[in-house]
Amino acid sequence: MSDRLLSLEGILPTYPRHPVPRVVREQSGILRARFDCMASPCEILLSDIAVPLPEQLTLIANAITEAWRIEHKYSRYEADNTWAKLHQQRGQPQNVDAETQRLLLFANQAWQLSDGLFDITSGILRQCWRFNGQNVFPEKSQVEELLPYIGWQRLQWLPEQSTLMLPNGIELDFGGLGKEYAVERAMSQLLEGVANSETYRLLVNLGGDIAVRCGQLATTPWRIAIEQADTDGGEHSHITLANGAVATSGDTKRHIKHQGKRYGHILNPHTGYPITAAPLSVTVIGHDCIQAGMLATFTQLQGTNALDYIRATGVPFVLQTAEGSFQSE
Amino acid sequence: MAVTNSKRSPKDVAALLAAASCALTAQNASADWSFDVATLLYQESDGRVSAIEPVISAKQEIDSETSLSIKVVGDTLTGASPNGATPSTTAQTFTRPSGQAGYTSAANTTPLDPSFKDTRGALSVNWVAPIDRDWAYSLGGYGSVEHDYASFSGNGSLSRYFDQKNTTLTLATSLGLDIVSPEGGAPTGLSDISTTNNYSDDDDDDHGEDSDHDDDDHEGGEGDDGKTKLLVDGMVGITQILNRQTLMQFNYGLSYSSGYLTDPYKFLSVIDTTAGSNYGGNYQLNSSNLYVYEKRPDSRVKQSLYWQTKHQFDNRDIFNISYRYMWDDWGIQSHTVDTKYRLRFEHLYFEPGVRWYTQSAADFYRRYLTNTNYQSVSYATADYRLGELDTLTYSLRVGYKFASGNELYGKVSLYEQTSKGDNGFGKLTSQNLYPSMQAYMLTVGYYF
């Protein structure tokens, strides 16, 4: 029996911006769907002997639809989505929907827990920091011009009334948590469909941010490879995981070299400059993808203290610096 | 809103982020309740006990490992239940405490107490939650009230997971208190049922009340000389996932009860051993039949071993088998084998099941007493539930699962009970001392 190509046609709404997902039933019985979302290659893996194949395909279609829905809703590149409407009404109080409300609530908690270092208003720094390989180091004045528009505390937000006043010039960027959120939402879609089963094995991977879940009777956990930085997929370490998530912060290709110093793409919202001496990459194995992703980002934001910080969380990790690779015991 | 200066430990940050993330991904901020509403109809053969029992269960799943369950049960029992006396060639009249009307049982029939009716309400609440990755706990409470009986208990359990949750070790315990407030007070064990002042005093001393007070109060079941029963249970169990389709469970249970364990409404016939025309007939005292109240020891230690295996086949059918061995210091040993097979189709399932139960008699079980031993025995009961007993239950459950996850189900069961033991002597040998009994149960329920 060889791998079998299956079609989601008819059960998946078409999004013109994305190619049609490719679903393959592998010899092992695992369904593997590959698709694009948030400018990343993504995949969903599903196996469950207790759920018939047509239902499995429907579940995968639902999960992909959910990931695309979130992308479409909060993308900065679309004309009339929730994100665009939010920013059209800057300078006046506006009501936000329940999902956006929850995201703002979470952003607020993350801002507090990171002592202000994780800030979803810091996205506008992209205007002067472009990590696109052109190696342009901004002028000091360019950075300073943007600082008055950065700071979560500048928002006027009444969570109890779902009311937000977004000052002019301030921009919200859900990119820092949107992918992790989409991973967990897609996973929720899959879990709803296998609620009556104990034998499911599920994996959602959006561009390297991964969540896995296995039912009580599914005894084979997932085996996940963790790429080493700077080796282009050459060397891997592996972890096995039945329930949890893996998320990575750090992209070795996204940096600027200036006067012999390397500037990574993790920016400090207080200074407007890249965090100095941040690790090349941090991979965190967490309870869920959002927690893992946030911890990885928080760790990067600690700069020179990154290793001490992630060690102190007690959460499993792989951290890579120019000096080498470090792992939790 | 300001950044707090006090730095949280990274460990706290990790935990708080996990909690915040749960709140974020919960689609509808509040967790959903699911309900199971069902009614059980129970009917014994020969017009004996019948019951209607509505059950409402509600469960709130806060997350995959945290849940709150509440169950409310009401039942109404009516009918007649064997009072313990043996059938006789003549009609038998039984007096009742506190001046209530007695009743007469026809010749050659098993004497039944026709006033067996009660309404019971019960409530149980259970909370299950994880402590951390490896530990989970549960806490629960139970209470039930009927006019002459109240039962309260609290329970708790602690589970430890090993090997990626493939193995679960569970320790559970419960502590219960039952209050028995028989109509007219609790009778003195082994005393003549026709004597009116035969209520035991041992609990009355504290109250200093006369028995008239109790008589006035018998409906309330409160404030009178209720007898108590203390129940302590402990269980240690291991659940092992053998492979992705098979689950196995072993439990050892220890249960201790003490206090008033006697059934205040049951008694025994005293049979005449005197050679002559009444040999094997009811013994006469003051020219009426003598019956004495039953009496059981005031403590009981039960132990049990339990094994269960669940297997899911490739076609999704599920096979479930369990065996329980129970033994106690009253001399009862029992074996239970319970097996079910669920045939699953796309929306429909059928689940036939068979349960077999057998028990040996308690050391003090007597179908009857005699005029030579009724004053010398320490304990005696003729309650068939403590005699040698076999039961067989056949059941069929049918369910339909809607695409929404709701389920409509029905279950029919046929229960057959047979007893055996000492067949007596003389006139008694012509009586059926161990009538068999059938019961039918029908349950209809909806899960949503």
Side-chain angles (χ1 to χ4, degrees):
Chain A
M1 199 173 98
S2 62
D3 292 355
R4 209 173 114 208
L5 192 62
L6 299 157
S7 169
L8 292 179
E9 217 168 298
I11 51 174
L12 190 68
T14 49
Y15 281 73
R17 294 185 297 109
H18 294 302
V20 173
R22 220 180 115 83
V23 185
V24 171
R25 184 169 194 179
E26 301 186 342
Q27 287 182 31
S28 57
I30 292 177
L31 278 186
R32 183 190 292 267
R34 288 198 174 88
F35 60 104
D36 283 357
C37 186
M38 302 184 188
S40 304
C42 305
E43 59 181 359
I44 286 172
L45 275 68
L46 182 157
S47 87
D48 193 342
I49 51 163
V51 177
L53 183 61
E55 277 179 41
Q56 294 190 19
L57 288 171
T58 306
L59 289 182
I60 286 180
N62 291 348
I64 294 174
T65 305
E66 178 70 359
W68 282 350
R69 180 190 68 78
I70 294 163
E71 176 186 26
H72 168 70
K73 185 171 177 179
Y74 296 106
S75 166
R76 298 191 307 272
Y77 310 107
E78 286 182 38
D80 63 344
N81 62 358
T82 299
W83 189 87
K85 284 181 189 137
L86 215 54
H87 289 80
Q88 279 156 17
Q89 300 176 58
R90 277 187 283 201
Q92 50 182 304
Q94 53 177 311
N95 289 323
V96 292
D97 65 86
E99 185 177 37
T100 307
Q101 169 83 356
R102 281 199 303 273
L103 283 163
L104 290 175
L105 201 59
F106 183 86
N108 181 52
Q109 286 166 316
W111 179 74
Q112 293 192 343
L113 291 173
S114 64
D115 294 312
L117 286 172
F118 179 87
D119 193 325
I120 63 167
T121 64
S122 62
I124 52 165
L125 285 168
R126 268 187 316 268
Q127 291 176 14
C128 57
W129 294 99
R130 292 191 182 83
F131 300 94
N132 54 8
Q134 289 176 5
N135 229 25
V136 180
F137 197 82
E139 297 294 325
K140 195 166 180 249
S141 61
Q142 284 179 285
V143 175
E144 282 174 350
E145 267 169 31
L146 293 173
L147 288 181
Y149 302 105
I150 298 168
W152 173 258
Q153 72 282 4
R154 297 180 205 277
L155 266 61
Q156 290 172 36
W157 179 47
L158 297 168
E160 296 78 17
Q161 287 147 36
S162 308
T163 307
L164 175 75
M165 207 283 282
L166 198 58
N168 284 311
I170 288 199
E171 192 179 300
L172 300 181
D173 179 7
F174 292 103
L177 66 103
K179 201 157 65 165
E180 291 89 340
Y181 173 63
V183 167
E184 286 301 331
R185 286 297 314 148
M187 180 57 84
S188 302
Q189 291 291 323
L190 298 178
L191 283 169
E192 270 178 34
V194 296
N196 296 319
S197 152
E198 294 292 352
T199 51
Y200 59 84
R201 295 177 70 225
L202 310 170
L203 182 148
V204 176
N205 174 2
L206 301 191
D209 288 335
I210 297 167
V212 299
R213 300 285 190 279
C214 291
Q216 284 271 340
L217 291 176
T219 51
T220 323
W222 292 102
R223 193 170 144 84
I224 297 163
I226 295 170
E227 265 183 53
Q228 308 278 36
D230 287 337
T231 58
D232 278 329
E235 273 178 65
H236 291 138
S237 55
H238 287 92
I239 59 152
T240 54
L241 196 61
N243 287 287
V246 182
T248 300
S249 173
D251 183 340
T252 52
K253 292 176 193 79
R254 295 180 64 203
H255 66 268
I256 291 173
K257 283 225 171 84
H258 179 66
Q259 296 176 346
K261 264 185 91 178
R262 182 184 186 284
Y263 291 85
H265 75 291
I266 307 285
L267 299 164
N268 183 333
H270 298 151
T271 64
Y273 279 84
I275 297 278
T276 46
L280 296 175
S281 82
V282 184
T283 298
V284 174
I285 295 112
H287 169 272
D288 61 81
C289 200
I290 301 161
Q291 183 221 23
M294 284 300 116
L295 282 178
T297 306
F298 285 15
T299 303
Q300 290 276 16
L301 289 164
Q302 306 302 314
T304 45
N305 294 325
L307 185 58
D308 289 343
Y309 182 87
I310 189 65
R311 273 201 178 127
T313 62
V315 170
F317 68 90
V318 180
L319 181 142
Q320 293 171 57
T321 67
E323 283 81 51
S325 175
F326 303 88
Q327 290 191 25
S328 47
E329 278 94 47
Chain B
M1 221 184 299
V3 183
T4 44
N5 288 323
S6 60
K7 277 225 163 192
R8 285 171 197 83
S9 80
K11 208 182 175 87
D12 288 345
V13 170
L16 290 164
L17 277 175
S21 140
C22 284
L24 172 58
T25 44
Q27 179 67 316
N28 303 306
S30 67
D32 284 344
W33 285 91
S34 59
F35 296 90
D36 194 343
V37 177
T39 298
L40 166 76
L41 299 173
Y42 174 87
Q43 176 65 59
E44 290 181 358
S45 56
D46 308 325
R48 279 164 65 169
V49 174
S50 67
I52 299 180
E53 184 178 280
V55 182
I56 300 173
S57 312
K59 188 173 184 181
Q60 186 181 32
E61 301 224 8
I62 287 123
D63 61 51
S64 64
E65 288 175 285
T66 313
S67 66
L68 176 70
S69 312
I70 298 171
K71 189 175 180 180
V72 183
V73 180
D75 53 28
T76 307
L77 289 155
T78 48
S81 174
N83 64 13
T86 55
S88 170
T89 49
T90 55
Q92 305 181 78
T93 298
F94 301 95
T95 57
R96 286 209 280 200
S98 44
Q100 293 177 49
Y103 56 93
T104 300
S105 164
N108 304 318
T109 59
T110 301
L112 304 174
D113 180 341
S115 63
F116 188 69
K117 58 170 172 273
D118 218 329
T119 304
R120 183 180 68 114
L123 172 75
S124 63
V125 178
N126 200 46
W127 168 257
V128 184
I131 297 170
D132 59 24
R133 282 170 85 102
D134 296 327
W135 293 86
Y137 73 98
S138 77
L139 287 173
Y142 169 87
S144 79
V145 180
E146 53 201 289
H147 86 279
D148 58 356
Y149 202 98
S151 180
F152 305 96
S153 69
N155 61 71
S157 78
L158 195 61
S159 293
R160 168 83 161 92
Y161 304 115
F162 299 94
D163 183 26
Q164 308 234 15
K165 295 200 174 174
N166 282 330
T167 308
T168 309
L169 187 68
T170 302
L171 268 171
T173 180
S174 87
L175 185 66
L177 179 72
D178 288 4
I179 301 162
V180 191
S181 314
E183 291 180 34
T188 303
L190 300 173
S191 69
D192 181 349
I193 69 161
S194 65
T195 328
T196 48
N197 59 345
N198 56 6
Y199 309 117
S200 62
D201 314 316
D202 41 0
D203 265 15
D204 284 347
D205 296 338
D206 294 337
H207 304 283
E209 301 281 356
D210 59 25
S211 56
D212 292 336
H213 168 76
D214 298 328
D215 291 348
D216 295 340
D217 216 35
H218 70 268
E219 289 296 335
E222 214 178 85
D224 61 4
D225 65 337
K227 295 283 189 176
T228 57
K229 190 193 307 193
L230 181 75
L231 300 122
V232 185
D233 278 277
M235 191 276 282
V236 54
I238 187 161
T239 305
Q240 177 67 46
I241 295 168
L242 296 183
N243 56 48
R244 51 192 289 180
Q245 289 161 294
T246 315
L247 185 92
M248 200 176 271
Q249 186 181 354
F250 291 99
N251 291 348
Y252 165 76
L254 180 65
S255 160
Y256 170 75
S257 45
S258 77
Y260 189 72
L261 307 179
T262 298
D263 185 330
Y265 303 119
K266 299 263 188 254
F267 31 82
L268 297 99
S269 297
V270 178
I271 302 298
D272 201 340
T273 55
T274 319
S277 62
N278 196 37
Y279 181 65
N282 287 87
Y283 175 69
Q284 304 274 309
L285 190 70
N286 303 326
S287 57
S288 64
N289 292 348
L290 176 62
Y291 307 97
V292 295
Y293 284 109
E294 71 154 49
K295 186 183 183 186
R296 305 180 189 181
D298 58 10
S299 79
R300 185 179 186 183
V301 177
K302 277 203 274 194
Q303 298 181 79
S304 66
L305 289 172
Y306 177 75
W307 164 83
Q308 184 191 25
T309 296
K310 245 183 192 180
H311 180 78
Q312 177 167 316
F313 295 94
D314 288 338
N315 65 1
R316 301 169 66 206
D317 286 359
I318 299 170
F319 179 61
N320 195 327
I321 184 164
S322 70
Y323 167 72
R324 183 192 302 273
Y325 174 58
M326 192 284 292
W327 69 103
D328 68 11
D329 63 350
W330 286 3
I332 297 177
Q333 292 181 28
S334 76
H335 305 269
T336 313
V337 178
D338 197 346
T339 170
K340 286 185 281 226
Y341 189 93
R342 182 174 288 207
L343 291 126
R344 291 168 75 177
F345 301 95
E346 194 170 355
H347 288 289
L348 205 60
Y349 67 84
F350 293 91
E351 187 178 80
V354 180
R355 180 178 181 275
W356 175 74
Y357 175 84
T358 184
Q359 95 177 16
S360 64
D363 298 334
F364 54 90
Y365 173 81
R366 303 272 185 280
R367 185 63 191 87
Y368 53 87
L369 291 172
T370 64
N371 57 317
T372 53
N373 71 6
Y374 83 94
Q375 285 167 312
S376 59
V377 293
S378 308
Y379 305 107
T381 180
D383 189 337
Y384 67 88
R385 291 167 298 186
L386 295 179
E388 201 176 332
L389 185 72
D390 296 305
T391 75
L392 202 50
T393 312
Y394 305 95
S395 65
L396 177 66
R397 182 178 163 133
V398 182
Y400 185 88
K401 281 188 180 165
F402 298 91
S404 58
N406 295 358
E407 183 185 332
L408 179 68
Y409 62 90
K411 185 178 176 181
V412 276
S413 306
L414 171 63
Y415 171 85
E416 269 186 355
Q417 174 196 298
T418 49
S419 301
K420 53 182 177 287
D422 171 12
N423 284 312
F425 52 89
K427 286 159 83 173
L428 204 53
T429 54
S430 63
Q431 298 296 337
N432 180 5
L433 299 182
Y434 305 96
S436 60
M437 194 265 281
Q438 284 84 40
Y440 309 89
M441 280 162 273
L442 174 69
T443 307
V444 177
Y446 188 64
Y447 172 85
F448 57 100

